[in-house]
Amino acid sequence: MSVSESMQPYWQQLACRFPQIEAVFDDCMQAALRNLSPDGVNAYLNNASVLGKMGYGHEPVLIYLEEMPEVAARLGEEALPEVKTFVWWLARHTNAPAIVPFLQSLNGVSQCLKSLELLYDYIDLLREMAERTTGSVHGHHTTFPSPGLPNMLEKATQILGMVSLQGMRNWVNYGIQYYSTHPEQQKAFFSLQSADARAVLQGERHGTLFMNHERKLDLYLRALWHDHDHLVPYSQAFDDLRKPIPHLDAQGIHLPDVLENKNGISGMDRYRAILSHIAAHRCWSEKMVVDNWSPYQRLAVETFEDCRVDWLAIRRYPGLKSLFLSLHPIPDESGLELEGCSTIRLRLALFSRAVLDAGFTVKHPVIRDFVGRFHALMADKKTRSSDVASLALLFMAHTRTQHDDALHTYTENTEVDYRDDNRHLWICMAAEEEEELFEQQQVDRQDELDSLPPRHYHEWDYTAQYYRPDWVSVYECLHPAGDAGFTHALLEKHSALAKRLKRILDLLKPQDKVRIRFQEEGSELDLDVALRSLIDYKSGSTPDPRINMSHRTDGRNIAVSLLLDLSESLNEKVAGGEQTILELSQEAVSLLAWTVDRLGDPLAIGGFHSNTRHEVRYYHLKGFSEGWNDDVKGRLAAMKAGYSTRMGAAMRHAAHYLKAQQADKKVMLILTDGMPSDIDVDDERLLIEDARQAVKELDQDGIFTWCVSLDAKADEYVADIFANRYAVIDNIERLPEKLPELFISLTH
């Protein structure tokens, strides 16, 4: 196809003879003439002519001609020379492979940026990325182009659809910081193939992030619905083919990784609506055999069952009604009059809204009739899933139209996005074995569900002077209990030491008591006030009921957190002895807990070990609110050691609870037998520096840290972490004696 006569002057100005461009030139010019001024058309052709002379074939010119009229119309004609200049810069700086993806992504990127100023900033970001990643492979100067830039440009529209330009800049800087000298890893990062890339990008997204509220949502499910399961996030941003929706399967409850505010409802409340709906299904829904139902019948049964469990949830918790209705679409009944498209989804949405919202009126007589039937059915508190399924099948039979099999389906305002996909409702007879497997998996996972969801903590990278966001996952649970008699025996073994400590403790106990008078309830009677109240009563006046008094200690206000390293090395025997380091630690901790109990200070004891950054285990041995009782003694007796020592994450987690204590002085004691380490870390300084940074963070929070090390070589690294706040116990067999005495010296 040749250029038309009217477009010949423009074709001559372009001075380009690529046949691929000649075939579409008329269409490109018509778009340019519609969207650009005469000066803009002139710049448009001149810039394209320059691109054609760069020597990279027809493709850059063709894309520029096709895309730039719309981009310029959206952002302004100043975008034309800016784009040409940057393409020329890429060609001169050995980054020609990035030219085509840059031009191809411009239209989508401009829709996300929406302003010329942001386009300038975007191009500056690309230029900076190219400069920082070009020609630097293993520290040698080369002429290699930026490995990750083309990959990032292919994903640019998708990324800017998820985060702001500043968020994209932060994400790019992270990728350059860690992968600028690893070309293959850089490609994986900037093409969103690596888990690290997705995790960092998620942290830059807008809205309510699941990972920041996982624990709250789990506790919400447990407290309100007496239910719990793994909460599994899925991404709505990386699935280009089909957007997933909430669902329940053998792995757990699947929720979006991020939710934005909608209809005035916060992302957190949207999560609560989804969990409430799924929990209601688990309370009241029954599985149904689906083999003989058509897809439309199945859709109707799902909608009716959704309405039933929502109705029952509202009956139990009336406050859910306003939440559900705020998120439920208000369908337009006039859509039923459209011909040539299926309206089954619209009819079901009208029914669903009318069932839950008494103020919503449906004119369609059959739908209105079935709303009344549904309400009558729900008046029976013993309604089952099979009852509403029968009603749903009747609904389909009475509302079916000749257009229901049309290719086009009316879907506007019909999706109730807090509802799941109902896959858990169905039984296929051919899949009975799979169902049995599902049930077995549920049983096998029950032990795992007793622990809380992970809490994510950052980790300090001293080489980059940068926090790796949400890098470490800490799982916490209550330590299993053992025989409390074992701990009693340990205390009896050290009874002589306990007597000596008792004499010291009696001297340390605060003696300055403050009397608190005029209490309705108290530890003893306040005689002066009691006599005055008796006189008032005898004389006919109203007596003062505040006739008691109590006392409080005025002087000592300390909260203590003891953090125990439970790594594998504790299973080693003490040199020249029969006991393991773990057994001596049990003796020492038991005596320390007894000591703190005698002083009356709040004490928490936690143990930790790690198996890579993805699994740091934190065991609660004693909580601040627990006394020195047999439950605590049983947990201490059952202590076991294994895996590695990721100390910084454990300290941050212990500090999370210690910070909440109302105390004038907060002390964290760390008992360890080795330096911080883990199997996924090659640089031994990395976790030492992270622990050092954790100590600085605790200092800023007003928490005093002290380390008791059982490692004879600790002087080589422990001072780097704790400065001068540490003690090395070379004779480990004296640990039961030294640890309580050390505590007394730190807190008196």
Side-chain angles (χ1 to χ4, degrees):
M1 180 179 177
S2 60
V3 177
S4 65
E5 185 177 349
S6 61
M7 297 297 178
Q8 280 295 331
Y10 301 118
W11 179 246
Q12 296 300 323
Q13 183 178 353
L14 181 62
C16 182
R17 296 298 178 263
F18 292 113
Q20 297 91 337
I21 297 175
E22 185 177 6
V24 298
F25 185 73
D26 279 14
D27 293 336
C28 292
M29 280 308 304
Q30 288 173 8
L33 293 171
R34 283 195 309 269
N35 290 292
L36 304 176
S37 67
D39 289 340
V41 170
N42 187 51
Y44 167 72
L45 292 171
N46 290 338
N47 293 338
S49 178
V50 171
L51 300 184
K53 297 174 182 177
M54 289 193 310
Y56 292 104
H58 72 279
E59 199 170 8
V61 189
L62 181 59
I63 298 171
Y64 185 91
L65 290 172
E66 290 179 336
E67 301 294 342
M68 286 311 296
E70 190 172 346
V71 172
R74 184 179 295 120
L75 302 183
E77 294 181 359
E78 294 88 344
L80 296 168
E82 182 70 18
V83 169
K84 182 265 297 182
T85 301
F86 182 63
V87 170
W88 184 259
W89 184 89
L90 287 173
R92 292 182 58 200
H93 287 74
T94 70
N95 278 292
I99 292 174
V100 169
F102 167 70
L103 292 171
Q104 287 176 329
S105 65
L106 263 182
N107 201 336
V109 166
S110 67
Q111 293 180 44
C112 298
L113 298 178
K114 296 184 174 62
S115 77
L116 186 64
E117 290 75 14
L118 287 180
L119 177 66
Y120 293 156
D121 292 341
Y122 170 71
I123 290 176
D124 286 343
L125 172 61
L126 299 183
R127 185 179 285 110
E128 179 184 346
M129 177 180 174
E131 288 175 339
R132 294 174 64 186
T133 57
T134 297
S136 179
V137 179
H138 301 302
H140 301 290
H141 181 72
T142 71
T143 56
F144 287 118
S146 170
L149 184 58
N151 302 87
M152 196 272 284
L153 288 168
E154 290 173 0
K155 298 289 185 180
T157 302
Q158 181 182 354
I159 294 168
L160 287 171
M162 298 165 54
V163 301
S164 65
L165 184 58
Q166 182 58 49
M168 184 181 192
R169 179 178 291 276
N170 295 340
W171 177 75
V172 167
N173 286 337
Y174 184 95
I176 295 172
Q177 182 70 54
Y178 289 102
Y179 303 112
S180 61
T181 59
H182 299 83
E184 293 305 317
Q185 294 182 25
Q186 187 182 139
K187 291 178 183 178
F189 183 91
F190 287 111
S191 59
L192 295 176
Q193 297 301 310
S194 71
D196 198 17
R198 296 183 179 221
V200 176
L201 194 61
Q202 296 288 25
E204 298 293 339
R205 294 181 68 182
H206 305 295
T208 302
L209 294 180
F210 169 84
M211 64 181 179
N212 293 339
H213 300 279
E214 181 179 2
R215 292 166 59 85
K216 291 181 182 178
L217 294 172
D218 179 78
L219 293 174
Y220 173 83
L221 189 62
R222 292 171 185 256
L224 213 63
W225 292 98
H226 308 292
D227 191 1
H228 61 286
D229 203 343
H230 283 302
L231 302 182
V232 184
Y234 61 79
S235 176
Q236 301 180 97
F238 301 109
D239 195 324
D240 297 325
L241 298 178
R242 180 180 180 272
K243 294 295 183 184
I245 61 177
H247 58 278
L248 174 67
D249 63 14
Q251 295 180 346
I253 298 174
H254 295 254
L255 302 171
D257 57 353
V258 61
L259 285 176
E260 296 185 357
N261 296 355
K262 181 178 180 181
N263 300 337
I265 304 300
S266 68
M268 189 64 181
D269 282 338
R270 291 181 65 192
Y271 275 122
R272 293 188 178 110
I274 296 171
L275 281 179
S276 293
H277 178 78
I278 292 177
H281 269 305
R282 286 159 66 110
C283 282
W284 297 299
S285 289
E286 302 161 310
K287 290 183 176 296
M288 294 172 276
V289 178
V290 72
D291 295 73
N292 296 324
W293 287 345
S294 70
Y296 281 158
Q297 287 176 320
R298 183 170 168 176
L299 178 62
V301 172
E302 288 178 350
T303 302
F304 273 61
E305 180 65 5
D306 283 338
C307 292
R308 185 178 82 93
V309 298
D310 281 354
W311 179 276
L312 293 172
I314 291 170
R315 179 186 288 173
R316 175 179 288 188
Y317 300 114
L320 287 174
K321 183 173 183 178
S322 61
L323 178 59
F324 285 163
L325 289 180
S326 297
L327 297 172
H328 196 296
I330 302 176
D332 184 0
E333 191 172 356
S334 64
L336 295 176
E337 301 172 4
L338 296 176
E339 296 186 359
C341 70
S342 171
T343 59
I344 177 61
R345 290 187 177 275
L346 176 58
R347 298 197 300 271
L348 289 171
L350 288 166
F351 169 83
S352 177
R353 180 77 197 194
V355 159
L356 299 179
D357 185 1
F360 181 74
T361 303
V362 179
K363 297 178 182 178
H364 193 290
V366 179
I367 298 177
R368 192 168 63 246
D369 175 57
F370 272 87
V371 171
R373 293 192 194 189
F374 180 89
H375 287 156
L377 187 64
M378 294 304 296
D380 181 2
K381 295 186 178 181
K382 297 182 180 180
T383 303
R384 302 179 62 182
S385 299
S386 56
D387 298 326
V388 295
S390 300
L391 190 64
L393 297 178
L394 284 174
F395 178 88
M396 281 300 301
H398 284 75
T399 62
R400 184 173 177 80
T401 71
Q402 61 180 346
H403 299 295
D404 280 351
D405 293 325
L407 293 177
H408 177 65
T409 301
Y410 185 95
T411 58
E412 186 175 353
N413 284 334
T414 61
E415 181 184 0
V416 187
D417 62 7
Y418 69 83
R419 292 176 177 172
D420 62 297
D421 66 2
N422 290 306
R423 68 181 67 181
H424 56 87
L425 288 178
W426 309 120
I427 297 175
C428 296
M429 299 307 293
E432 287 181 324
E433 294 183 1
E434 182 180 347
E435 181 64 24
E436 292 175 3
L437 178 61
F438 171 83
E439 297 295 340
Q440 184 59 44
Q441 288 172 331
Q442 290 291 88
V443 173
D444 293 342
R445 290 168 50 246
Q446 190 60 44
D447 291 341
E448 299 177 26
L449 302 180
D450 293 335
S451 63
L452 290 171
R455 184 182 291 276
H456 303 285
Y457 290 95
H458 52 243
E459 189 168 87
W460 179 252
D461 185 343
Y462 78 101
T463 61
Q465 295 293 297
Y466 184 88
Y467 278 113
R468 294 178 174 180
D470 299 316
W471 190 252
V472 184
S473 298
V474 177
Y475 292 84
E476 61 179 323
C477 65
L478 194 64
H479 196 288
D483 181 11
F486 177 80
T487 304
H488 285 293
L490 295 180
L491 293 172
E492 183 63 29
K493 174 183 176 181
H494 295 281
S495 58
L497 174 60
K499 290 179 181 178
R500 190 171 81 238
L501 289 173
K502 183 178 181 300
R503 290 194 294 270
I504 300 173
L505 296 175
D506 289 339
L507 297 175
L508 289 177
K509 281 184 180 179
Q511 304 298 321
D512 45 342
K513 299 286 186 178
V514 176
R515 183 175 62 173
I516 306 174
R517 305 184 66 187
F518 299 103
Q519 305 289 305
E520 291 191 21
E521 296 182 2
S523 58
E524 59 184 276
L525 193 66
D526 188 334
L527 289 178
D528 291 340
V529 180
L531 287 172
R532 190 159 53 245
S533 295
L534 180 61
I535 294 171
D536 290 340
Y537 175 74
K538 293 289 188 180
S539 62
S541 302
T542 302
D544 189 342
R546 300 173 299 164
I547 60 174
N548 293 300
M549 63 179 176
S550 59
H551 297 84
R552 65 174 173 83
T553 301
D554 185 24
R556 184 181 181 91
N557 189 9
I558 300 173
V560 183
S561 178
L562 176 60
L563 186 60
L564 307 178
D565 170 8
L566 297 180
S567 59
E568 176 65 31
S569 55
L570 263 70
N571 290 321
E572 298 176 2
K573 288 189 175 182
V574 178
E578 293 297 323
Q579 286 184 296
T580 64
I581 301 175
L582 176 63
E583 291 170 340
L584 286 172
S585 297
Q586 287 174 306
E587 295 180 9
V589 172
S590 299
L591 274 169
L592 177 62
W594 175 84
T595 301
V596 177
D597 181 66
R598 298 285 299 183
L599 286 171
D601 297 332
L603 170 70
I605 306 175
F608 75 96
H609 58 63
S610 62
N611 183 22
T612 77
R613 69 182 179 93
H614 300 291
E615 186 182 351
V616 177
R617 294 287 175 176
Y618 186 97
Y619 297 99
H620 290 279
L621 294 156
K622 180 187 181 299
F624 282 109
S625 60
E626 286 186 288
W628 176 234
N629 53 38
D630 284 350
D631 290 337
V632 174
K633 295 172 185 176
R635 293 181 208 131
L636 289 174
M639 285 196 327
K640 294 182 179 179
Y643 302 109
S644 304
T645 314
R646 212 171 194 111
M647 186 181 292
M651 291 171 64
R652 292 182 179 100
H653 190 66
H656 168 73
Y657 293 101
L658 182 55
K659 283 188 291 188
Q661 295 301 303
Q662 300 296 320
D664 294 337
K665 186 175 183 179
K666 300 172 185 178
V667 178
M668 182 182 295
L669 293 178
I670 299 96
L671 178 61
T672 180
D673 73 324
M675 70 177 181
S677 63
D678 210 338
I679 59 174
D680 61 342
V681 177
D682 296 327
D683 182 356
E684 67 176 22
R685 291 295 308 176
L686 187 67
L687 295 185
I688 292 175
E689 293 296 333
D690 176 61
R692 179 183 183 182
Q693 191 70 15
V695 170
K696 292 180 180 178
E697 294 168 20
L698 269 58
D699 283 343
Q700 293 171 357
D701 291 327
I703 296 175
F704 178 83
T705 55
W706 188 277
C707 176
V708 178
S709 179
L710 309 179
D711 183 6
K713 300 179 181 179
D715 292 318
E716 298 175 6
Y717 61 85
V718 71
D720 292 341
I721 301 174
F722 296 96
N724 59 347
R725 292 180 296 185
Y726 70 94
V728 178
I729 299 179
D730 294 325
N731 187 353
I732 300 179
E733 292 181 339
R734 296 193 63 190
L735 177 63
E737 173 188 350
K738 290 293 185 181
L739 187 60
E741 291 180 350
L742 176 65
F743 169 78
I744 292 171
S745 66
L746 289 175
T747 60
H748 75 275

